[in-house]
């Protein structure tokens, strides 16, 4: 068995690509548009997985954009996507500077949660050992649900 991808429906493709690519740092590796099916599929990979994806087509996140508007609710019932990052504080600062709410700050230097424009929960985990607690993160409270 081989993990291929996780599909997430998005309501605004440009806003979602801004979040996943420009803010979170994923890379678009493939795109498929279906006029007949009235949808666009965009496949994203973590930067360190791009070469792996060229060989095996996994692991990926598939953004599915249906051209006809639909109301997607929940997000939390989906669970979450998880990414390992080199520096959780730098990643959270970059996201925050880009206007992303840090729902669960990395108070422990190990874990944080943010949400995509479609309310999908994204877990960020520090690579290796937890970093020493650092302000402003150590005293920052949760915001909303994660």
């Amino acid at each position: 068995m081989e993990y291929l991808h996780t599909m997430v429906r998005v309501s605004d493709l440009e806003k979602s690509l801004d979040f996943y690519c420009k803010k979170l740092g994923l890379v678009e590796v493939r795109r498929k548009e279906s006029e007949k099916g009235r949808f666009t599929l965009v496949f994203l990979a973590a930067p360190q997985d791009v070469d792996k994806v060229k060989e095996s087509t996994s692991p990926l996140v598939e953004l599915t954009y249906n051209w006809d508007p639909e109301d997607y609710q929940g997000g939390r019932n989906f669970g979450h996507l998880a990414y390992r990052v080199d520096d959780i504080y730098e990643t959270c600062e970059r996201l925050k500077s880009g206007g992303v709410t840090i729902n669960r700050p990395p108070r422990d230097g190990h874990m944080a949660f943010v949400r995509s424009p479609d309310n999908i929960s994204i877990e960020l985990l520090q690579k290796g050992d937890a970093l020493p607690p650092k302000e402003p993160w150590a005293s920052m409270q949760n915001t909303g649900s994660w």
Side-chain angles (χ1 to χ4, degrees):
M1 185 180 295
E2 177 184 7
Y3 172 78
L4 296 178
H5 64 263
T6 298
M7 184 272 272
V8 176
R9 286 186 174 88
V10 301
S11 57
D12 183 322
L13 186 57
E14 294 311 311
K15 188 183 274 187
S16 294
L17 287 172
D18 178 68
F19 172 79
Y20 285 101
C21 296
K22 291 182 182 172
K23 293 176 181 162
L24 191 57
L26 300 184
V27 177
E28 181 176 334
V29 294
R30 192 167 68 248
R31 184 182 288 233
K32 175 186 178 186
E33 295 198 5
S34 172
E35 185 75 37
K36 183 178 179 183
R38 301 192 46 74
F39 64 83
T40 301
L41 306 179
V42 179
F43 293 88
L44 309 175
Q48 292 179 332
D49 289 330
V50 170
D51 288 337
K52 188 185 310 181
V53 167
K54 290 175 185 174
E55 296 172 15
S56 69
T57 70
S58 65
L60 296 167
V61 171
E62 172 193 321
L63 301 183
T64 297
Y65 173 68
N66 293 308
W67 300 353
D68 300 317
E70 293 183 40
D71 184 23
Y72 303 120
Q73 297 184 9
R76 182 91 172 137
N77 61 346
F78 162 79
H80 64 264
L81 302 175
Y83 293 96
R84 182 175 298 125
V85 298
D86 290 330
D87 184 325
I88 197 157
Y89 297 135
E90 183 278 325
T91 300
C92 287
E93 184 58 43
R94 180 172 36 84
L95 289 166
K96 186 176 175 200
S97 294
V100 175
T101 300
I102 309 300
N103 300 103
R104 194 278 191 191
R107 290 184 293 275
D108 55 4
H110 175 69
M111 178 179 67
F113 278 87
V114 298
R115 286 188 175 263
S116 77
D118 290 288
N119 215 24
I120 300 298
S121 187
I122 312 287
E123 179 182 26
L124 304 171
L125 296 167
Q126 173 61 42
K127 184 177 182 178
D129 294 333
L131 298 178
K134 178 178 172 181
E135 293 298 341
W137 311 107
S139 58
M140 193 178 288
Q141 297 299 308
N142 292 344
T143 302
S145 64
W146 44 276

